Amino acid sequence: MEYKFREIEKKWQKYWEDNKTFKTFDDFSNPKKFYVLDMFPYPSGAGLHVGHPEGYTATDIVARYKRMKGYNVLHPMGWDAFGLPAEQYAIQTGTHPAITTKKNCDTFRRQIKELGLSYDWDREINTTDPEYYKWTQWIFIKIYNTWFDEKAGKGRPISELPIPEEVKNAGPEAIRKYIDSKRLAYYDDAQVWWCPECKIVCANEEVLSDGSHEKCGNLVEKRKLKQWMLRIPLYAERLLQGIESLDWPEGIKEMQRNWIGRSTGAEVDFPVENSDEKITVFTTRPDTLFGATYMVLSPEHPLVEKLTTPSRKSEVEEYIKAASLKSDLERTDLSKEKTGVFSGSYAINPVNLQKIPVWIADYVLMGYGTGAIMAVPAHDTRDFEFAQKFNLPIVCIMDPDTSDAEQRKRVLEGHECWTEDGRYINSADKTTGIDINGLNKEAGIAKMIAWLEEKKLGRAKVNYKLRDWLFSRQRYWGEPFPVIHWEDGEITVLDEKELPLELPPLEKYQPGESGESPLANATDWITVTDARGRKGRRETNTMPQWAGSCWYYLRFIDPKNKEAIFDPAKEKYWMPVDLYIGGAEHAVLHLLYSRFWHKVLYDLGIVSTDEPYQKLFNQGMILAYAYETDKGAKIASDMVVEKEGKYFHKETGEELRQIVAKMSKTLKNVVNPDDVVKKYGADSLRLYEMFMGPLEATKPWDDKGVKGVFGFLNKTFRFLSEKNNITEGEEDSEVIKALHQTIKKVGNDIENLRFNTAISAMMIFINLATKKGKITRRTAETFIKILSPFAPHLAEELWNLAGHNKTIAYEPWPEYNEEYLKEDTFEYPVSFNGKLRFKLELPLSMDKEEIVDRVVSDPRSAKWLSGKKPENVIVVPGKIINVVVR
RNA sequence: GCCCGGAUGGUGGAAUCGGUAGACACGCAGGACUUAAAAUCCUGUGGCCAGUUAAACGGCUGUGCGGGUUCAAGUCCCGCUCCGGGUACCA
């Protein structure tokens, strides 16, 4: 029978839809549950990209496999639909973003349905739906009303915050300020990056290293604006420790650890000469205090103004101005020379009471530590470079652990920087009483911290790189904050009953030049008056796109619940997410933010698990072939012709190199899944996406490869749909063995997300079956079952042709029988000194001595033994024989 | 600069625990079928070198580079090169 994939796929997609084949029930009686989740897409106007179906097919195979294994499977899909493009389109055309968004969602839904993915569409969610963002706002209120109890290491309701006596005595205003200072969400002036093109504030995370906005590529500048911030660093330790329990790729876990950036050390106070001020620094090397020969303040440090002496004033001000205009790139570029300026003031080194100059330099950042450092040029490479440039003293305080005498000399003389271990020298002072001479780094750090704490000059300190999360955007198309700013300065959040706070309709979507969101134009919406006649103004900022995606996995559990965010019993049943698949670009931001929200909800008793995503897997990016000339000029794909495996420029005839690059409009190498489905069918697309290579690998799309898997599906369909090929009775022993090998391999591979080798195993089986010409009905049906998660339309059709009238989706997954896989003999590769020389078939039960006898007496061995006796013979049963001859 | 990945035939990749390198697929070459093409099927296919009427077959070499460990290394260790991704000079 001919493989009419278009008809077959349409037919079964309709069947699944009509019969709600993949509707998930909250069947608590089945203890085997499996929640398999995709990173839901932003429905862009461009439609689906071939990168989307990669992850979706992977989760779909797992979902279908788990159903066949008897699991109750939750496999939902939705739309992360707030975002810039719809808003920009609205600015240009006046079309409401909701209309654009709906259109895009409809396209995405159609495309995804055409791939035969087994989602429960009754659970579809959309972050822009007020019934959804009602709960996003609800969570924000929860976060706002939470403080972090450092002692308990967890978030607690703000109503439980103990108020210190002195605050109580200072009156209600002081109490309010105190409470606000403890909330996980706060409203404050923030130095933010401003994109003049998008007219939007960008989070640090959104500004690229060259100082451009990641969304539009324009250079950003600094501005101060009132912003909502979330105190994610309070959860740094919990977020760090939580990583350990997760089944995530090691690389991603490492990236999250590095992002959180825990470092241990000490805070040390340096008194300022002739002043009551002190400079507090954070250092991981308090042991090197004797080598501290100067200090550096970041240009934004609050003490800069006070410490700058009148004679230095103009120079310092000029420097600060220059630093503030610098982009992150300029300030952080290592190849650029260090800059700095002397403040005119001196600090006192607490270990030896020596006077050291205070400098101002932009290589010290206000955003990390205390914004000030003690500089130890002899033992820190950046300080060394700075000291050399400005002729500051370099005092070596450590005899380096090096066998290189020349190097040791250079280090001791202060001509080379040493950051490794050694023994302290010049590290004692009679007046202050500290002495760490002779100790190594570890002991030195411990002793110095103990001394600092005893003398109340410093304290052990853990520091994190993780910074407060800037959580507001000056946009229309986002969740409104359920917040009112009252004329008396009070800030309140809405009551739960007032949610959702819906976006008001607008005439114009243009943002205000001042940086205010377009919501500022909705006068009626903004203005509120309370029962006492007090006037207030609604928050005009909206939440970032992260907000909706931070918790969507929870709403899938109970998406239509009007009374609550979800039914706690359902949450308990379904959480955590058992498998989460998506692109590696979310390795840090989305996953860290989402884990943070989840932990807050956990502390408040709203969710039952500490972590949301038990197992995570990142799919690799799909690239495409592109072409370039000898000189490296890129040529658009429509200008390239192929001749005998070589590539030439259509017009100039120049031979071109095939390279691999990101798909792009300019290179004209974007692959549209619709075209692939039209030409080869959804099953071929699914199979190719999985067959290309390992799921996690970055790999190029190749249309010829689609043809390959299409051929396999054709062959499979033709063979299994032909009644003459299917027999009753006993199966051929070779076929039965191959079948059981395939069942085992495919099952293991699905469990380990190695779909490429699973598909190759099925190809091997079909190649054997067609060679044999006939297989039994039982074998055929077993094979159709294991193929069904990969090519579900084709499998349903074959299953139906075989006389079944119910879907294959819930047929039990075939078990393999080890008995059929057992071997009696093995063809041993026999090698001499590690080089394979010949093969010898021997019973697996044969013991080592007999094997050695057989090998040595084999006529083919004579050549390699050349009369000598083997020194040793290694026999690894079922693997290899290696004869050692010297 | 730092961090995280990676490098295997003409191409995508396989080798899951240190044990036969190149599964499976594409491409290419040859053949069958056909008036022809497509489709399909069959055969061959890492490189180099031999010999025999021919075939089976034989030898050397080979997983980015240089070392090392081991009976045995694509796999482990040390030192590099190049490519991709991330990046906040993090004290």
Side-chain angles (χ1 to χ4, degrees):
Chain A
M1 231 195 263
E2 196 191 337
Y3 174 41
K4 291 182 179 156
F5 59 87
R6 280 192 199 94
E7 280 171 34
I8 292 172
E9 291 180 356
K10 227 173 157 183
K11 169 179 163 191
W12 289 102
Q13 281 165 16
K14 186 167 186 306
Y15 174 94
W16 295 327
E17 182 139 18
D18 291 350
N19 291 282
K20 289 204 188 262
T21 305
F22 302 112
K23 186 167 175 61
T24 303
F25 296 94
D26 301 303
D27 175 13
F28 300 163
S29 68
N30 184 353
K32 285 165 72 182
K33 68 93 186 174
F34 200 83
Y35 186 176
V36 48
L37 182 68
D38 294 290
M39 287 186 188
F40 67 161
Y42 170 72
S44 76
L48 222 56
H49 173 274
V50 284
H52 290 113
E54 191 191 14
Y56 302 163
T57 306
T59 53
D60 194 59
I61 291 167
V62 175
R64 288 173 180 273
Y65 168 77
K66 289 284 179 184
R67 283 190 201 101
M68 294 173 85
K69 280 281 206 180
Y71 283 81
N72 190 15
V73 172
L74 178 56
H75 187 40
M77 179 47 80
W79 320 110
D80 185 16
F82 277 126
L84 222 46
E87 180 152 343
Q88 244 140 27
Y89 189 72
I91 292 170
Q92 284 160 19
T93 65
T95 314
H96 194 282
I99 295 169
T100 319
T101 299
K102 184 181 179 303
K103 200 178 126 228
N104 292 349
C105 288
D106 289 345
T107 306
F108 265 65
R109 191 183 306 101
R110 172 191 62 77
Q111 288 186 301
I112 288 177
K113 283 191 175 179
E114 282 174 10
L115 297 175
L117 299 167
S118 62
Y119 294 117
D120 175 2
W121 286 103
D122 288 348
R123 291 180 188 250
E124 178 180 347
I125 57 175
N126 185 323
T127 55
T128 66
D129 179 355
E131 282 306 305
Y132 179 88
Y133 70 65
K134 169 182 178 176
W135 299 106
T136 312
Q137 293 169 332
W138 184 85
I139 295 172
F140 174 78
I141 293 171
K142 292 285 174 198
I143 291 171
Y144 177 77
N145 284 325
T146 300
W147 65 289
F148 191 78
D149 182 343
E150 306 252 4
K151 262 192 215 131
K154 59 179 281 199
R156 291 171 59 187
I158 201 78
S159 55
E160 295 172 9
L161 176 70
I163 313 283
E165 280 307 311
E166 65 267 26
V167 174
K168 273 188 196 160
N169 297 336
E173 179 63 22
I175 293 175
R176 196 168 85 192
K177 277 206 169 133
Y178 180 78
I179 292 174
D180 284 350
S181 75
K182 295 292 176 188
R183 295 179 187 276
L184 289 184
Y186 67 100
Y187 188 66
D188 200 5
D189 252 341
Q191 171 105 299
V192 293
W193 288 112
W194 172 259
C195 175
E197 179 66 25
C198 302
K199 293 185 174 133
I200 191 173
V201 174
C202 321
N204 290 316
E205 292 89 339
E206 292 173 316
V207 178
L208 303 178
S209 56
D210 63 351
S212 70
H213 186 200
E214 69 169 351
K215 288 227 168 72
C216 71
N218 286 282
L219 283 181
V220 295
E221 51 195 53
K222 282 178 190 165
R223 266 204 195 185
K224 256 189 181 173
L225 273 182
K226 277 268 191 269
Q227 295 287 305
W228 281 99
M229 310 281 284
L230 301 187
R231 293 194 164 96
I232 185 172
L234 292 172
Y235 274 80
E237 196 60 39
R238 290 267 301 282
L239 289 166
L240 187 64
Q241 271 162 24
I243 293 170
E244 301 314 312
S245 66
L246 300 174
D247 181 6
W248 288 19
E250 228 4 88
I252 303 291
K253 286 164 89 167
E254 193 59 22
M255 278 165 86
Q256 290 227 342
R257 283 187 204 108
N258 292 344
W259 193 268
I260 294 166
R262 183 185 205 268
S263 61
T264 58
E267 270 184 4
V268 186
D269 302 325
F270 285 67
V272 177
E273 191 196 34
N274 305 325
S275 161
D276 295 335
E277 300 290 346
K278 58 179 187 182
I279 301 169
T280 302
V281 303
F282 171 74
T283 176
T284 52
R285 295 292 305 275
D287 55 313
T288 59
L289 265 161
F290 280 97
T293 55
Y294 64 101
M295 302 193 76
V296 184
L297 300 180
S298 123
E300 299 87 10
H301 197 283
L303 281 176
V304 166
E305 208 187 319
K306 278 184 194 160
L307 297 193
T308 302
T309 56
S311 65
R312 308 288 308 154
K313 201 173 173 203
S314 61
E315 206 181 323
V316 168
E317 279 176 356
E318 209 171 293
Y319 182 77
I320 292 171
K321 201 178 159 201
S324 77
L325 288 176
K326 277 187 186 175
S327 73
D328 260 16
L329 173 74
E330 282 173 286
R331 209 165 143 167
T332 60
D333 194 334
L334 265 180
S335 64
K336 295 229 166 104
E337 253 189 72
K338 299 245 179 307
T339 61
V341 62
F342 177 45
S343 71
S345 288
Y346 291 85
I348 308 295
N349 188 335
V351 290
N352 55 16
L353 308 180
Q354 273 177 18
K355 227 171 90 167
I356 57 175
V358 179
W359 282 66
I360 295 151
D362 62 10
Y363 79 94
V364 174
L365 303 178
M366 199 54 222
Y368 182 76
T370 62
I373 61 156
M374 62 176 211
V376 185
H379 305 289
D380 180 284
T381 48
R382 285 155 308 176
D383 297 344
F384 183 79
E385 200 185 314
F386 190 85
Q388 280 199 315
K389 176 163 175 190
F390 293 103
N391 277 320
L392 291 157
I394 297 168
V395 176
C396 176
I397 54 125
M398 184 173 260
D399 189 351
D401 275 350
T402 173
S403 51
D404 183 341
E406 270 305 303
Q407 186 186 29
R408 177 165 176 256
K409 189 164 169 254
R410 286 197 302 275
V411 171
L412 289 173
E413 287 169 351
H415 296 306
E416 186 177 319
C417 181
W418 180 258
T419 57
E420 302 296 308
D421 209 348
R423 303 277 154 184
Y424 296 104
I425 52 173
N426 307 325
S427 291
D429 189 276
K430 286 210 179 86
T431 325
T432 60
I434 177 71
D435 181 355
I436 58 165
N437 278 336
L439 298 179
N440 67 4
K441 196 160 147 182
E442 196 190 344
I445 291 173
K447 190 166 178 187
M448 186 59 89
I449 290 177
W451 180 83
L452 287 166
E453 287 188 333
E454 188 206 319
K455 300 282 177 187
K456 303 224 177 331
L457 295 167
R459 57 222 73 90
K461 171 88 180 170
V462 177
N463 209 18
Y464 301 94
K465 290 184 203 169
L466 191 62
R467 298 197 281 235
D468 281 353
W469 173 14
L470 194 140
F471 190 69
S472 45
R473 301 295 132 99
Q474 292 61 54
R475 309 302 312 181
Y476 171 76
W477 196 228
E479 299 88 346
F481 280 88
V483 167
I484 301 168
H485 301 274
W486 297 98
E487 55 190 351
D488 59 5
E490 197 189 358
I491 294 175
T492 59
V493 291
L494 299 187
D495 191 85
E496 195 181 317
K497 289 192 283 288
E498 299 173 85
L499 300 181
L501 173 63
E502 293 196 36
L503 282 166
L506 282 189
E507 298 276 311
K508 278 171 60 190
Y509 299 91
Q510 263 83 6
E513 286 295 326
S514 63
E516 262 211 297
S517 137
L519 284 174
N521 304 325
T523 334
D524 294 348
W525 181 84
I526 282 184
T527 318
V528 280
T529 312
D530 72 2
R532 292 175 294 147
R534 182 173 61 155
K535 285 216 162 94
R537 196 170 185 268
R538 288 193 197 279
E539 172 65 65
T540 57
N541 286 315
T542 53
M543 299 186 201
Q545 204 178 357
W546 305 115
S549 62
C550 261
W551 71 282
Y552 72 112
Y553 56 94
L554 291 169
R555 191 61 180 173
F556 278 135
I557 286 168
D558 198 5
K560 301 208 170 119
N561 196 322
K562 295 226 179 226
E563 271 67 53
I565 184 166
F566 46 73
D567 175 348
K570 293 181 184 174
E571 185 277 335
K572 229 182 198 128
Y573 177 72
W574 286 113
M575 284 301 287
V577 173
D578 297 285
L579 177 64
Y580 192 29
I581 296 186
E585 66 271 22
H586 294 299
V588 178
L589 301 181
H590 159 64
L591 288 168
L592 199 67
Y593 293 153
S594 188
R595 290 180 60 221
F596 165 51
W597 278 35
H598 193 88
K599 284 186 185 296
V600 176
L601 295 176
Y602 175 69
D603 288 350
L604 297 177
I606 295 164
V607 296
S608 61
T609 63
D610 184 36
E611 286 284 343
Y613 314 113
Q614 185 47 40
K615 179 167 177 149
L616 172 82
F617 202 85
N618 290 108
Q619 82 219 38
M621 208 190 309
I622 294 184
L623 306 176
Y625 288 118
Y627 303 88
E628 62 178 21
T629 62
D630 208 32
K631 286 179 186 137
K634 305 271 192 301
I635 305 299
S637 295
D638 59 346
M639 294 307 290
V640 179
V641 281
E642 187 189 343
K643 269 183 218 152
E644 292 163 4
K646 288 181 179 173
Y647 303 92
F648 300 91
H649 194 290
K650 214 181 205 170
E651 281 165 9
T652 65
E654 188 182 355
E655 185 172 346
L656 303 170
R657 241 195 323 266
Q658 190 183 54
I659 57 162
V660 170
K662 283 185 190 174
M663 291 187 188
S664 73
K665 280 181 193 158
T666 42
L667 289 175
K668 297 204 169 125
N669 59 358
V670 179
V671 181
N672 183 344
D674 281 348
D675 297 340
V676 182
V677 169
K678 220 176 264 168
K679 204 165 165 194
Y680 300 106
D683 282 338
S684 289
L685 174 68
R686 292 169 59 110
L687 218 61
Y688 177 62
E689 297 251 6
M690 295 298 99
F691 187 62
M692 287 172 85
L695 188 60
E696 69 275 19
T698 305
K699 45 213 178 276
W701 183 273
D702 185 359
D703 268 323
K704 287 173 186 149
V706 190
K707 242 173 86 179
V709 295
F710 178 67
F712 162 68
L713 290 179
N714 253 301
K715 191 169 170 180
T716 304
F717 187 80
R718 279 201 316 271
F719 182 75
L720 294 176
S721 64
E722 174 53 58
K723 290 203 164 54
N724 293 332
N725 294 338
I726 311 299
T727 63
E728 302 294 339
E730 281 291 294
E731 184 57 276
D732 176 275
S733 67
E734 202 182 334
V735 171
I736 210 156
K737 187 174 160 190
L739 179 71
H740 284 255
Q741 275 171 343
T742 310
I743 299 169
K744 185 178 179 179
K745 173 84 179 144
V746 172
N748 281 342
D749 280 353
I750 293 175
E751 299 272 1
N752 293 298
L753 309 174
R754 286 191 303 250
F755 305 109
N756 54 333
T757 48
I759 293 166
S760 117
M762 291 188 282
M763 288 172 167
I764 291 169
F765 178 79
I766 281 296
N767 287 346
L768 177 81
T770 50
K771 206 173 207 168
K772 290 273 173 187
K774 282 193 193 327
I775 58 172
T776 64
R777 169 180 300 277
R778 231 179 116 179
T779 300
E781 294 193 352
T782 304
F783 180 78
I784 294 165
K785 284 184 201 168
I786 62 170
L787 177 66
S788 70
F790 296 82
H793 309 88
L794 179 133
E796 290 276 21
E797 182 69 13
L798 287 172
W799 188 245
N800 187 253
L801 286 173
H804 301 277
N805 48 25
K806 253 175 46 195
T807 174
I808 196 170
Y810 294 91
E811 287 298 316
W813 183 259
E815 297 288 330
Y816 62 89
N817 187 341
E818 282 290 351
E819 284 302 309
Y820 294 123
L821 304 179
K822 274 194 184 151
E823 302 271 3
D824 297 330
T825 63
F826 179 73
E827 192 181 29
Y828 278 97
V830 180
S831 46
F832 288 78
N833 295 333
K835 279 187 183 172
L836 175 68
R837 295 306 177 186
F838 59 86
K839 291 187 182 173
L840 182 60
E841 181 145 355
L842 295 171
L844 275 165
S845 56
M846 193 179 262
D847 62 22
K848 192 189 161 178
E849 271 132 69
E850 204 176 336
I851 290 175
V852 172
D853 270 359
R854 286 285 297 274
V855 168
V856 174
S857 60
D858 192 283
R860 289 171 293 184
S861 290
K863 182 174 172 188
W864 307 105
L865 288 170
S866 45
K868 288 181 213 150
K869 261 202 155 162
E871 193 173 286
N872 193 6
V873 181
I874 313 280
V875 177
V876 184
K879 288 264 171 156
I880 200 167
I881 298 165
N882 189 23
V883 184
V884 187
V885 199
R886 291 279 175 234

